[in-house]
Amino acid sequence: MPIDLGLARISKLLKHLNNPHINAFKSIHIAGTNGKGSTIAYLSSILTQSRIPNGRFTSPHMLYYNDCISINNEIYPWDKFKKVNDFILEQNSLLQLGCTEFELLTVTAFKIFELEKIDIAIIEVGLGGRLDATNVLEPYSETSKGGVIASGITKIGFDHENLLGHTLSAIAFEKAGIIKAGIPCVVDRSNNKEVIQVIQEKAQQQSSDIYLVDGINESSPPPTLSDFKLSTAKEVLKSSPLRGDYQLQNLSISLKIIELLTITNHINLTLEQIKEGIKHTSWPGRLQQITIPTLNNLSILLDGAHNESAAIELGKFLDIERHNNNNNNNNNNSGIIFIIAMTSGKNIKSILSHIVDKEKDTIIVTAFSQPDQMPWIQSYDIKYLQHEASLYVNDVDPLIETNISNVLKHVATNYRHKNDTRPIVLCGSLYLCGDVLRYIEAATS
């Protein structure tokens, strides 16, 4: 069943299962257009290093259907995942609720968290917020074992406009729908002013404290983690393996949430555990440098960059790389070889216009494989995307190939082996990043 936003179906299914999201564990709920996954990765790693049992639910999956659910930073095993998922599917069928695939996956995650007896679940909004399946979560209270103890809103930009609205205010309204009554919410201060205004209005309605953070400033003096304050975010970011200046924003949200939960006695940890958690954070497919041993250690930068906000950040990163290459090579030929696929319906201009150089870059177009359990997701036709790409670069490779292994061999043979030393960047879709990571896993196993 394709995307169908609403909470009625999932609420009925969860009630039938005794509401594990209310009765079994506490939650941290994260919304936003970009940065949700990185923020959650920081939180999960910090909690894991602090030996606080935690679960993580993110979407979409990267390599395999079950990798959207992790326990203590470890992907939940397929056999155990399938057993729970099959049970949820059976209950949905018996009750004839007609839940969507994402609703069923969300319930599966909640049930797994209950079975694994975690303390805190870190949950990413799937799409939007107000009507997203994950927003069935309720605020924590002293009378219940579970519920939301903190929420976070990362950078908001344009994406899924057909479902969320065509203005930043409209999109922000949907994202702000996760703010729970009386529960603190930490927000990326770098958001557009109209976004901040919408969030603050929603927080006021919910009597929720809002904390605006950017790694340097915040909206009120930090509470008291005696040896730790947000002003150290920029410093501890140096130990993070995640790249990109925007990670300062994501890390700041994570640190503020950790700080607030420490103050309210939901968790108890030390500065050293926080630092260790940051150092061990992993989040694939975002400015991730990989090498392919079977292709003479071909080096590729992977980045999903699937919407305009993400493309802008990738463009900033690549501008620095181009500048460094110019200085190192003492010339102006700082071109890049792009391998690109995009989900059908995405705004091609809003992505390519921020990352490519018309004169110096080459684009190789491909298509990603069909994601598991997501039949409504389709890749752009290669020939169509090649035509559109030709509006932004002069050199579009004529290759027509959907198999990522053949695309990578083509790059190695027709570019690297012919002394084309330009950096290689694969982007436009997290599903394409997943194809590459699966290929490497299979080739090296």
Side-chain angles (χ1 to χ4, degrees), residues 289 296-301 321-322 324-326 328-338 360-362 411-425:
Q289 197 73 45
N296 198 29
N297 288 323
L298 184 70
S299 178
I300 299 176
L301 179 71
E321 295 296 296
R322 291 179 195 271
N324 291 340
N325 287 339
N326 276 342
N328 293 336
N329 298 329
N330 199 28
N331 61 53
N332 292 318
N333 187 23
S334 56
I336 294 172
I337 300 168
F338 285 95
K360 300 175 182 178
D361 294 345
T362 295
V411 174
T413 301
N414 294 283
Y415 291 89
R416 278 294 180 266
H417 291 176
K418 295 182 179 179
N419 297 319
D420 189 331
T421 60
R422 288 178 294 170
I424 302 167
V425 176

Side-chain angles (χ1 to χ4, degrees), residues 171-192:
I171 295 171
F173 175 78
E174 296 299 327
K175 307 283 186 184
I178 72 161
I179 296 175
K180 303 292 185 291
I183 303 301
C185 182
V186 182
V187 181
D188 183 338
R189 182 196 289 273
S190 71
N191 271 298
N192 185 286

Side-chain angles (χ1 to χ4, degrees), residues 40 49 70 143 174 186 195 296 314-315 331 362 372 396 410 430:
I40 288 171
Q49 289 297 317
S70 296
T143 60
E174 296 299 327
V186 182
V195 167
N296 198 29
L314 174 59
N331 61 53
T362 295
D372 287 347
V396 177
H410 172 78
L430 286 169

Side-chain angles (χ1 to χ4, degrees), residues 76-90 108 111-112 115:
Y76 202 60
W78 170 253
D79 56 341
K80 296 176 73 174
F81 170 89
K82 189 175 186 305
K83 184 177 179 180
V84 178
N85 189 236
D86 285 348
F87 169 73
I88 299 302
L89 294 175
E90 179 185 27
T108 298
K111 187 63 179 177
I112 287 171
L115 292 171

Side-chain angles (χ1 to χ4, degrees), residues 99-114:
C99 288
T100 67
E101 285 86 352
F102 184 70
E103 289 167 354
L104 294 169
L105 187 59
T106 301
V107 176
T108 298
F110 292 171
K111 187 63 179 177
I112 287 171
F113 295 157
E114 178 187 43

